[in-house]
Every structure is written in C-alpha cells, then in structure tokens.
C-alpha cells in the first residue's frame, strides 16, 4: 500500500520511524456533470478574476482572506518554519482506557507501518505494550496543514491510528431530544427487548451496500442498451407512529420471518392454542365423566343409589330417606294392626304386648335382611319398590 505520510512515533525518548497508510477506501460511485442538450462534459476551469485568464496548478498558491477581504499570502516555506514538534512526528501524550474515547470523536483511520529494519524492534515493543496494558495511546500529529489528535491501538499485529476530532469540535446535542415528556411502559420495554433478542447479533462482514450494487446494475444495463425494472417499494409507513405496541409486535414477527423462524413460531403458537383448547375441553368433558363415575353411592341404610345427573342425584338423595321412612311406617302399621286384632279377640294385654314386641323385632330383622339383599340391586329396582312400600304404608295406616 502506498504511504501518504512519513514520520516517526515519539514514545518518550524512543523514536520509531513509520509510514502512514490509509486503512479505508471509498467505494462510492462518482458521476460527471454533462450538458443535457448534447451530452458534453461540464468542466470547471481555474480563472484569475483580475485578468480572466486560465491558470495552471503551478501558478496557484495559498492565502488567508481577512475580514475586510484582504488576501494574506502564506507559502509552504512559511508553514515549514513553524516551531511545531508534531510537524513530522506522532507525539504520544498519554495512555488511557479505550472506553474514555468518545466514538463521536473518531475520524479517519490509518495503519502505521515500521519504516525500515531498525524500526522493527521499537515498533514491536510499543505494540506488545499496548496489548498487555489493554489501553490506547493518545497522540498529536500534523497532517494536511493542521495539527490533529489521534488514538493508537492494536489491530491484529499492526498499530492503527484513528484521527480524532478535538473536543471543541463536538457539538452539544441541544434541542435534539424530544421536547415533550414521554412515559415508556414496561410492556413496551419488554417488546423492545424481545425485538433486540430476535434481531440478535450480526457478522459485519455479511453486510454490504445494496444501493451501490443497484446503481452498478443500472449502469451496466444502460451500457448494454437495456433497462432495469423499478424495484417494488415497501411502504411500511415509516415515520408514522400509530400504535407502538402493535408496531413492536409486527417488528418481532417480521424479524422472525426474515430469519426463517416463522414456521417454528407458528408451530409454538399452534400448540399453545391447542393447549388452550384442551384446557377448555377439560373444563367440560372430564367433569361429566367424573360425575358419571361418582353416581353410585350407598345410603346410611346400606342401599346403593345410582345418580343419572345433577338433578337425579338430588332426587335419589331425597328419595332414600323417604324409602326408609316408608319401611318404618309399614312395620309400625303392621304391628299396630296385629295389636288391634289381638285386643279384639280378647287376648291378654301382656301377651299381646309380648307378641307385638316379638313381631316388631322380627320385622326389624326382616327389614335388615331385606336391606342387605337390596344392596346388590340396581337403582331402578329401588325406585320401583319405594312407591309400593309407601302405598302399602298408607293402606295399613
């Protein structure tokens, strides 16, 4: 690479001869001005305003224009005689952590190359010292007619220098921030974080200038006599903030689609929807199944009752006590009827009482045996017997 400046790095009492090489290159496409009528190129010529004659570069010098319009000539010899220590030297003034340098100050970038074999040793020494200290060197140098500020750091195995703007050249951001007070909700911050996580990191080497490539294609097409169809313009409503939450959600969705995560995201969403639908099914159907399993239960008297539904279960519960009461009334009516028969036949009261007590005990034992036998019967049989018992009890009464 061609050097643009030769000098030395002043590192204390150590002087390191170096050459300055541009670290960047401009790939911009440049256009010429032409005359639209005939396509002729437009040229600018340097003409003296006094004699209106064109002059060459060798006849042109420098001058400073005073406030009243007076021209004060300044020659290269005048500039070379200035007592400026940085005229041919990059003078290191300090070593600071890299985070103390404001990125707003960074300007052009250069590579510093060791100039000659004797410069290899001190050059390597400075490079390794910068690596081990994790610091950058702040330096001053003179280039293109002015003294500049620079920052030296290590890139791979080379010392690079970034031109820095002077602190008084950085403008304060006055009147740039929004004037109105804005409140940002946590939900909006969460969506912004989700968008940043979705976009993730990027390999800077994979980024390229799409506009320059489009211009090159246009030039190539017109050179071959063809035309280029205009590209579709995606009007996404830039600059119009309608709903910040919706815009963030759409941005996250678009970022996932651009990274090929749309199908996965839809799959997850579909599973979530299915899961929600399954929960709704669990709220209805399993409850019915559980109710069907719990329809069979035993009453305090030992009978088995089967529920057919919510209303049926209540009816069954209510009918069970009625059935028990009906049986008791039947046994009582039978005993009363026997007592009345015996008294009419003229039997003794003691004997009738004993017989009634025995018959009542026998009736209770018989009712218990019948209840034990009825444990194996179905709910329908129980339901059928209940009216008959009840009617029998009324007839006995």
């Amino acid at each position: 690479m061609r050097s643009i400046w030769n000098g030395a790095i002043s590192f204390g009492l150590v002087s390191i001869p170096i050459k300055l090489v541009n670290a960047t290159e401009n790939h911009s496409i440049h256009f010429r001005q032409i005359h639209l009528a005939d396509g002729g190129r437009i040229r600018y010529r340097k003409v003296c305003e006094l004699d209106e004659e064109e002059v060459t570069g060798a006849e042109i010098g420098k001058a400073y224009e005073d406030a009243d319009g007076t021209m004060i000539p300044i020659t290269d010899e005048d500039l070379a005689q200035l007592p400026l220590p940085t005229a041919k030297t990059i003078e290191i003034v300090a070593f600071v952590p890299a985070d103390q340098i404001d990125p707003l100050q960074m300007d052009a970038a250069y590579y510093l190359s060791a100039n000659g074999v004797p410069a290899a040793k001190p050059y390597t020494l400075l490079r390794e010292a910068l690596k081990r200290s994790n610091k950058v060197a702040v330096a001053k140098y003179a280039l293109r007619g002015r003294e500049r500020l620079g920052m030296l750091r290590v890139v791979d195995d080379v010392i690079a220098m970034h031109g820095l703007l002077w602190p008084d050249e950085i403008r304060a951001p006055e009147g740039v921030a929004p004037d109105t007070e804005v409140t940002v909700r946590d939900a909006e911050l969460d969506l912004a974080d989700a968008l940043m996580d979705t976009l993730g990191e990027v390999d800077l080497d994979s980024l390229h200038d799409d506009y320059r490539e489009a211009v090159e294609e246009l030039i190539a097409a017109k050179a071959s006599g063809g035309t280029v169809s205009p590209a579709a313009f995606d009007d996404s409503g830039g600059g119009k903030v309608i709903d910040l939450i919706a815009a963030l959600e759409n941005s996250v969705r678009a970022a996932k689609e651009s990274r090929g995560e749309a199908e996965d995201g839809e799959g997850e969403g579909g599973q979530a929807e299915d899961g929600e639908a399954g929960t709704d099914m669990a709220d209805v159907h399993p409850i019915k199944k559980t109710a069907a399993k719990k329809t069979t239960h035993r009453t305090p008297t030992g009978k088995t009752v089967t529920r057919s539904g919510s209303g049926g279960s209540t009816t069954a519960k209510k009918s069970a006590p009625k059935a028990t009461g009906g049986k008791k009334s039947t046994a009582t009516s039978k005993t009363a009827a026997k007592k009345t028969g015996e008294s009419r036949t003229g039997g003794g009261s003691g004997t009738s009482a004993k017989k009634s007590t025995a018959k009542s005990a026998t009736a209770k034992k018989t009712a218990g045996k019948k209840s034990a036998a009825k444990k194996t019967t179905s709910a329908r049989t129980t339901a059928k017997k209940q009216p008959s018992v009840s009617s029998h009890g009324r007839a006995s009464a």
Side-chain angles (χ1 to χ4, degrees):
M1 293 184 285
R2 185 176 62 89
S3 63
I4 61 173
W5 183 85
N6 293 340
I9 300 175
S10 176
F11 180 32
L13 298 177
V14 179
S15 181
I16 308 171
I18 52 96
K19 295 186 291 185
L20 196 67
V21 180
N22 280 321
T24 61
E25 56 186 4
N26 189 1
H27 291 164
S28 299
I29 298 175
H30 301 281
F31 297 98
R32 303 293 186 183
Q33 292 180 334
I34 61 172
H35 187 200
L36 293 177
D38 53 13
R41 182 177 173 182
I42 304 298
R43 295 181 179 273
Y44 292 95
R45 297 181 180 180
K46 298 177 181 180
V47 178
C48 177
E49 64 179 11
L50 296 180
D51 55 15
E52 296 183 352
E53 293 183 359
E54 185 178 355
V55 295
T56 62
E59 300 174 288
I60 298 174
K62 294 188 286 288
Y64 176 78
E65 184 177 2
D66 203 358
D68 57 359
T70 302
M71 295 295 177
I72 304 174
I74 302 294
T75 64
D76 292 339
E77 290 76 12
D78 294 335
L79 296 175
Q81 292 176 2
L82 291 176
L84 188 64
T86 58
K88 287 291 182 180
T89 304
I90 300 175
E91 182 181 5
I92 296 176
V93 296
F95 293 90
V96 299
D99 56 4
Q100 289 189 9
I101 305 298
D102 190 348
L104 287 174
Q105 291 184 253
M106 292 188 179
D107 198 4
Y110 309 94
Y111 291 135
L112 304 182
S113 172
N115 191 3
V117 176
K121 182 63 178 289
Y123 182 94
T124 304
L125 175 63
L126 176 60
R127 182 191 67 194
E128 296 303 317
L130 289 172
K131 280 185 179 180
R132 190 169 69 174
S133 65
N134 291 324
K135 293 183 178 181
V136 297
V138 178
K140 295 196 300 182
Y141 64 100
L143 181 65
R144 297 189 180 101
R146 55 169 294 189
E147 188 175 52
R148 303 171 185 266
L149 193 63
M151 178 188 72
L152 276 63
R153 68 185 184 96
V154 178
V155 177
D156 295 335
D157 291 332
V158 178
I159 298 176
M161 182 174 71
H162 296 269
L164 299 177
L165 299 175
W166 296 98
D168 60 357
E169 294 178 320
I170 304 299
R171 300 173 61 185
E174 296 178 356
V176 180
D179 295 334
T180 58
E181 294 183 1
V182 179
T183 301
V184 180
R185 295 178 294 174
D186 291 339
E188 295 168 343
L189 286 174
D190 293 340
L191 282 173
D193 292 339
L195 178 58
M196 289 189 292
D197 293 338
T198 303
L199 293 176
E201 299 180 356
V202 65
D203 183 9
L204 294 179
D205 294 334
S206 64
L207 302 179
H208 54 277
D209 190 349
D210 295 330
Y211 182 78
R212 178 171 58 87
E213 292 181 357
V215 172
E216 290 175 348
E217 292 177 1
L218 173 63
I219 294 173
K222 294 189 69 84
S224 60
T227 58
V228 177
S229 57
F233 179 71
D234 183 14
D235 187 8
S236 58
K240 298 179 180 180
V241 179
I242 300 175
D243 187 347
L244 185 58
I245 293 291
L248 287 171
E249 289 175 348
N250 292 334
S251 300
V252 172
R253 189 179 301 108
K256 289 183 177 180
E257 290 177 356
S258 65
R259 291 177 174 268
E261 299 178 4
E263 295 181 358
D264 295 339
E266 290 176 359
E268 292 175 0
Q271 291 177 0
E273 291 176 359
D274 293 342
E276 292 176 358
T279 304
D280 294 337
M281 294 289 288
D283 290 341
V284 178
H285 296 286
I287 287 177
K288 290 183 178 181
K289 292 179 181 180
T290 305
K293 291 179 180 179
K294 293 182 179 181
T295 52
T296 302
H297 69 282
R298 295 180 180 179
T299 62
T301 58
K303 293 185 178 182
T304 302
V305 180
T306 302
R307 299 180 187 174
S308 59
S310 59
S313 62
T314 307
T315 306
K317 290 180 180 178
K318 292 182 178 180
S319 60
K322 288 182 180 180
T324 305
K327 290 178 181 179
K328 289 183 179 179
S329 62
T330 304
T332 305
S333 62
K334 287 181 179 180
T335 305
K338 289 180 180 180
K339 287 181 179 180
T340 304
E342 289 178 356
S343 62
R344 286 181 180 179
T345 53
S349 60
T351 306
S352 300
K354 290 181 180 179
K355 290 182 179 181
S356 300
T357 304
K359 288 181 180 181
S360 176
T362 305
K364 289 182 180 180
K365 291 181 180 179
T366 305
K369 291 180 180 180
K370 289 181 180 181
S371 299
K374 288 179 181 179
K375 289 182 181 180
T376 57
T377 59
S378 61
R380 294 181 180 178
T381 305
T382 305
K384 289 180 180 180
K385 288 183 178 182
Q386 289 171 357
S388 62
V389 173
S390 179
S391 61
H392 182 72
R394 291 179 183 174
S396 299

